[in-house]
Amino acid sequence: MEERSKNMLSNEPREGMKKVREKTVKKRSNEEDRDRDREQIFNFNNRPAEEEEDDESEDSVYSGLEDSGSDSEEEEGSHDDGGEEEGQSQQVGNLCEKMKKKKKGGDEYEHDSSDEEDIRNTVGNIPMEWYKDFPHIGYDLDGKKIFKPIRNKDELDDFLDKMENPDYWKTVHNKQTGSDMVLSDEQVELVNRLQRGQFGDINFNEYQPSVDFFSNDVMLHPVSNRPADKRSFIPSLTEKEKVSKLVHAIKMGWIKPRRVEEDSRGRYYDLWTTEDSSILSKHRMHLPAPKTPLPGHQESYNPPPEYLFTDEERSLWEQQDPSDRKLPFVPMRFSSLRQVPSFSRFIHERFERCLDLYLCPRQRKMRVNVNPEDLIPKLPKPKDLQPFPTTQSLVYRGHSGLVRSISVSPSGQWLASGSDDGSVRFWEVCSSRCMKTVQVGGAVKSVAWNPNSSVCLLAVALDSVVLILSPSLADRQVLSSSERLLVGQQEGESSEGEGPIVWCEADGEELNQGIRLKIQHPKAVHQVAWHTKGDYLASVMPDHSSHLQVFIHQVSRRRSQNPFRKNKGLVQCVSFHPVRPYFFVATQRTVRIYNLVKQEMTKKLQANSKWISSIAVHPGGDHVICGSYDCRLSWFDLDLSTKPYKMLRHHKKAVRGVAYHRAYPLFASASDDGSVIVCHGTVYNDLLQNPLIVPVKVLRGHVITHDLGVLDVTFHPTQPWIFSSGADATIRLFT
């Protein structure tokens, strides 16, 4: 036995040395083969040109070899020397083929294969919904936009394609390129294999023999003789800290351990499973009696001091009727529960409870569960209703008093303003430059530009005079047509002095300033308004004691007439209908609509406000808005009712002015709170659909002076801009 063990010990080192020697020889042979291959490649690259031509005509010696790139062949080569040499020679052949192609001028990456997919769209792995609002779907490798293909397919085309196209079942939509692609047979087979839970590569062998990392032979020396770590036999401090945190959380109640529910409790069962359903149906409407309220602090035998009655409260409680008392008893305090006497009203309370139970009727009330958000109308977002004015762009400074009235020329180039400083100023809209100033010698109440674009005239109301100005801010053709309108028919001059209205021409210094006509009224004029065609002009003189409150003047014939024999109420403002021969007259509480051709009243609108301040008519003519001094704005639909369709109470102080835009669905209101509120008001051609009214913007900028804010507001005729004049002697443009 001792000799046999000695022989075994002597044989083990010999066998180990023999294996080390064999591995060294194998490694040297592999290195020699690799050096030999490199030398062949070097000689192949540095050969003369004649040999290259000959090689091009002949087949390469490596052309018949296949590419060795699979894992199985490499693993076989690691065990077999012959397989390894064959794999290396195949690699050399492929390398030579690529070099030949490169020398011929071809692209070495033309037939290169890669595991990654060739993606033209370089946006990366992002949700493609981000590009749904853009015309492109991403960017290519050069940074240029990849535009979406035009998809005109509807459901009918899709159904026909499904019936007729044999490749429809394997056509998929590529979201990154926006196009449809047909899967090849290999791709369909790959998808099927993945759906069945198999490997994607059909050549992959999942049951290939495993190679043991360690051999079965017991080695003399261990693979690793590193001493064990200290942490392997010492308790972990990190785990100790985690456990202490969990214990602390359980103690504090943050983590509650699972409770094991005991099954010892009795199980419940239905007593009435065998009962007849007809008996239960009789008591289906049964309502349980309301429970008695639980006792509060005042009913305690030792209530807090604030619940005990004082002498005054007790005397007051005794004087009250029992039905009016808050408490049916007087709270009392006892030092211990033994000293509490029996309740004197116990039987009385039980008797009242019994009366309540069988005398008071109880009924089931059907409540409708309505979500409060469903009652609020769903309005569109202001972002979807653009354009509308949002920011202050220009400030027109120059007046020294309240700017009571402003008006924009039909072309939108000029702006006229009248102020309490006795001047009328003409501004260029785009530059806020004052082009002309006319001193009229009195506080200007109202200015109105002639809406006819073929003439250039301005009506100004101050004191008891209406002035017709020609500011000379247009071309020669417009100025000549304005002159022809002002000259009029001379035969009307004989009747100028008759009646309460006197027409006279300006002369001297007034003529040089641009004042052409002066219309004298019997009383102070507060407002002027032009007809759409530009020949007729209406003036308002509010006065309770007289029927001469409204006059209509014809400029071309220099005639004036009072359309009403008597006025019902104090007239505040007037306006002409933009299309039909209608005339709107607003008094303190109502708006009357008159037909000037038939000379009769057609409609009377009830404003539901205390004092109307201003009025504006929609360009279509079927809608009217009224502002009032009691902070309200009323929208009337003339086809719907004589009462307001909508009442807007957005302002905190009196509404001074309202205006419609000629082209855009916008209207605005100006108030003494220093703000201008712009609203979107869409009017539909369908008479069954109500107008859409949405407040979109609150514009601020004017300074409140002497409790007065914004006095007048008007829109630009062509742009979504708005002008406002205020008591701070400024005019502001919001765009």
Side-chain angles (χ1 to χ4, degrees):
M1 290 295 291
E2 292 177 359
E3 291 177 0
R4 190 181 301 167
S5 62
K6 286 180 181 179
N7 292 333
M8 289 175 66
L9 289 173
S10 62
N11 290 334
E12 284 180 2
R14 290 176 185 173
E15 291 175 2
M17 292 296 293
K18 189 185 293 183
K19 290 181 179 179
V20 170
R21 194 180 297 112
E22 288 176 359
K23 288 184 179 179
T24 306
V25 171
K26 189 183 293 184
K27 186 175 182 182
R28 284 178 183 172
S29 63
N30 293 341
E31 290 178 355
E32 290 174 2
D33 293 339
R34 201 176 297 117
D35 294 340
R36 196 182 308 116
D37 294 337
R38 286 177 184 156
E39 188 176 353
Q40 289 178 4
I41 296 169
F42 181 78
N43 296 334
F44 181 84
N45 290 338
N46 297 331
R47 60 183 174 167
E50 293 90 1
E51 293 181 18
E52 290 185 12
E53 293 176 359
D54 295 340
D55 288 340
E56 286 177 6
S57 61
E58 296 174 3
D59 291 339
S60 173
V61 293
Y62 302 107
S63 61
L65 299 178
E66 294 179 356
D67 185 12
S68 63
S70 63
D71 298 337
S72 61
E73 290 176 359
E74 289 181 2
E75 289 171 2
E76 291 172 3
S78 65
H79 293 290
D80 188 10
D81 295 341
E84 184 176 357
E85 291 177 2
E86 184 180 356
Q88 288 177 354
S89 62
Q90 288 176 358
Q91 291 176 1
V92 171
N94 292 335
L95 189 59
C96 293
E97 285 288 328
K98 288 186 179 179
M99 286 183 171
K100 284 175 67 178
K101 289 177 183 177
K102 190 171 183 181
K103 285 186 176 286
K104 288 179 184 179
D107 188 5
E108 61 176 314
Y109 300 106
E110 183 179 0
H111 300 288
D112 190 17
S113 63
S114 175
D115 293 335
E116 295 182 359
E117 188 180 357
D118 182 20
I119 300 175
R120 289 194 305 117
N121 200 344
T122 61
V123 294
N125 188 14
I126 62 166
M128 298 310 291
E129 288 81 9
W130 293 356
Y131 283 88
K132 67 180 181 180
D133 295 330
F134 295 92
H136 61 284
I137 203 167
Y139 302 88
D140 58 10
L141 294 172
D142 297 329
K144 297 180 181 179
K145 294 180 179 179
I146 300 175
F147 289 93
K148 295 178 182 176
I150 301 173
R151 296 179 64 87
N152 295 326
K153 277 189 177 182
D154 54 3
E155 293 185 3
L156 185 60
D157 294 333
D158 190 69
F159 176 76
L160 293 175
D161 195 18
K162 182 178 180 181
M163 294 292 106
E164 298 172 358
N165 187 7
D167 295 331
Y168 179 85
W169 64 277
K170 57 180 180 179
T171 304
V172 295
H173 179 67
N174 190 354
K175 289 186 178 180
Q176 285 205 330
T177 59
S179 59
D180 294 332
M181 55 184 294
V182 181
L183 299 180
S184 61
D185 294 339
E186 292 81 10
Q187 291 171 333
V188 173
E189 179 63 22
L190 175 62
V191 172
N192 292 333
R193 289 180 62 83
L194 292 178
Q195 286 179 343
R196 291 195 299 265
Q198 298 175 351
F199 289 92
D201 187 6
I202 196 170
N203 299 320
F204 181 77
N205 183 15
E206 54 183 311
Y207 303 106
Q208 59 187 357
S210 62
V211 180
D212 293 332
F213 183 78
F214 298 103
S215 64
N216 297 326
D217 303 327
V218 180
M219 306 296 292
L220 180 64
H221 300 286
V223 177
S224 173
N225 200 16
R226 189 169 62 88
D229 291 328
K230 185 179 179 180
R231 64 172 176 266
S232 62
F233 53 85
I234 289 180
S236 173
L237 295 177
T238 308
E239 292 180 359
K240 179 183 176 182
E241 187 178 354
K242 289 182 179 179
V243 170
S244 62
K245 284 183 179 179
L246 292 173
V247 171
H248 178 65
I250 293 173
K251 285 181 179 179
M252 297 297 292
W254 302 333
I255 298 177
K256 295 182 179 179
R258 296 176 183 173
R259 293 181 180 177
V260 180
E261 294 191 2
E262 297 180 359
D263 231 8
S264 59
R265 281 186 257 171
R267 297 186 177 276
Y268 299 103
Y269 60 93
D270 192 1
L271 271 174
W272 295 276
T273 50
T274 57
E275 289 286 339
D276 189 9
S277 60
S278 60
I279 301 173
L280 294 173
S281 61
K282 296 180 181 178
H283 307 287
R284 195 165 290 169
M285 294 300 291
H286 169 71
L287 290 176
K291 296 181 179 180
T292 55
L294 297 174
H297 292 298
Q298 62 269 16
E299 298 184 52
S300 172
Y301 74 94
N302 189 12
E306 59 266 19
Y307 288 98
L308 296 174
F309 282 176
T310 60
D311 296 338
E312 296 178 0
E313 290 175 344
R314 185 173 185 117
S315 60
L316 181 63
W317 182 84
E318 291 173 351
Q319 292 172 6
Q320 283 180 337
D321 190 78
S323 59
D324 297 336
R325 293 171 181 169
K326 289 185 178 180
L327 295 174
F329 60 91
V330 179
M332 299 178 69
R333 171 179 284 179
F334 300 96
S335 59
S336 64
L337 198 57
R338 294 194 311 273
Q339 299 177 0
V340 179
S342 62
F343 187 37
S344 58
R345 296 188 70 255
F346 175 73
I347 296 177
H348 187 70
E349 273 196 355
R350 294 296 94 196
F351 180 69
E352 286 184 347
R353 173 69 176 166
C354 292
L355 290 179
D356 290 342
L357 288 179
Y358 82 91
L359 286 181
C360 293
R362 298 191 296 272
Q363 63 178 1
R364 189 187 299 272
K365 290 186 177 179
M366 302 299 292
R367 290 186 178 180
V368 181
N369 294 326
V370 179
N371 188 7
E373 295 181 357
D374 296 342
L375 301 176
I376 302 173
K378 294 181 180 179
L379 299 177
K381 296 180 181 179
K383 181 182 176 181
D384 303 333
L385 303 176
Q386 288 178 342
F388 53 83
T390 56
T391 54
Q392 176 180 306
S393 297
L394 293 174
V395 180
Y396 304 82
R397 304 182 188 275
H399 286 291
S400 58
L402 279 70
V403 184
R404 292 190 179 273
S405 181
I406 53 176
S407 182
V408 189
S409 64
S411 63
Q413 185 179 3
W414 312 105
L415 172 69
S417 61
S419 171
D420 280 0
D421 58 5
S423 65
V424 176
R425 290 179 179 263
F426 296 90
W427 314 82
E428 189 177 16
V429 169
C430 295
S431 63
S432 73
R433 177 186 172 193
C434 183
M435 304 297 294
K436 190 174 183 180
T437 304
V438 179
Q439 296 293 336
V440 294
V444 179
K445 299 292 183 183
S446 176
V447 295
W449 212 294
N450 195 315
N452 191 353
S453 58
S454 61
V455 296
C456 183
L457 296 175
L458 182 77
V460 180
L462 69 150
D463 297 335
S464 60
V465 184
V466 174
L467 304 178
I468 307 296
L469 275 71
S470 178
S472 302
L473 294 174
D475 52 10
R476 293 182 181 179
Q477 184 177 0
V478 174
L479 291 177
S480 62
S481 61
S482 303
E483 289 295 329
R484 287 196 298 271
L485 179 65
L486 290 172
V487 168
Q489 298 181 4
Q490 299 297 328
E491 51 267 21
E493 293 180 358
S494 59
S495 62
E496 282 182 1
E498 299 177 3
I501 304 298
V502 179
W503 292 69
C504 59
E505 293 187 358
D507 52 0
E509 185 64 27
E510 293 180 345
L511 191 61
N512 295 334
Q513 287 186 344
I515 301 174
R516 302 302 308 274
L517 287 177
K518 298 169 71 175
I519 308 173
Q520 292 285 347
H521 289 70
K523 292 176 183 176
V525 182
H526 281 220
Q527 189 215 359
V528 287
W530 286 95
H531 189 265
T532 312
K533 294 184 178 180
D535 191 19
Y536 288 93
L537 175 71
S539 58
V540 179
M541 299 170 292
D543 189 7
H544 271 299
S545 61
S546 175
H547 67 283
L548 303 175
Q549 294 190 51
V550 180
F551 276 96
I552 297 179
H553 314 284
Q554 187 177 7
V555 178
S556 60
R557 296 191 178 185
R558 299 189 184 180
R559 294 192 308 179
S560 303
Q561 59 176 334
N562 178 17
F564 310 112
R565 296 176 185 173
K566 60 179 181 178
N567 295 102
K568 298 177 182 179
L570 188 65
V571 178
Q572 299 298 312
C573 50
V574 297
S575 179
F576 287 96
H577 194 282
V579 182
R580 302 189 186 97
Y582 290 165
F583 190 55
F584 295 82
V585 179
T587 58
Q588 283 182 329
R589 291 177 178 269
T590 60
V591 178
R592 290 180 171 86
I593 306 174
Y594 295 94
N595 191 328
L596 297 177
V597 176
K598 296 181 179 180
Q599 297 182 3
E600 62 182 11
M601 186 178 74
T602 59
K603 199 166 289 187
K604 181 180 178 181
L605 308 178
Q606 299 290 339
N608 292 345
S609 55
K610 296 180 180 178
W611 198 307
I612 295 175
S613 62
S614 52
I615 186 176
V617 185
H618 192 270
D622 292 334
H623 302 270
V624 179
I625 53 174
C626 296
S628 62
Y629 291 115
D630 53 354
C631 317
R632 299 182 183 184
L633 185 140
S634 307
W635 175 296
F636 290 95
D637 189 344
L638 301 183
D639 297 330
L640 184 65
S641 173
T642 58
K643 293 182 180 179
Y645 160 69
K646 189 82 75 175
M647 291 285 288
L648 305 179
R649 299 178 180 85
H650 298 142
H651 289 289
K652 296 179 181 178
K653 291 187 178 180
V655 178
R656 293 279 176 179
V658 292
Y660 273 111
H661 199 288
R662 292 187 190 175
Y664 291 92
L666 298 173
F667 69 94
S669 58
S671 172
D672 279 342
D673 58 6
S675 66
V676 176
I677 296 181
V678 181
C679 300
H680 178 92
T682 303
V683 176
Y684 300 97
N685 293 328
D686 186 6
L687 296 177
L688 299 177
Q689 194 168 3
N690 293 328
L692 175 66
I693 300 173
V694 183
V696 291
K697 190 67 178 175
V698 179
L699 304 174
R700 303 184 188 276
H702 286 279
V703 181
I704 299 175
T705 308
H706 305 298
D707 292 335
L708 296 176
V710 186
L711 300 178
D712 196 11
V713 65
T714 185
F715 279 99
H716 193 278
T718 56
Q719 299 292 334
W721 301 347
I722 193 170
F723 300 89
S724 63
S725 63
D728 56 353
T730 62
I731 305 165
R732 298 173 189 267
L733 168 63
F734 297 92
T735 60

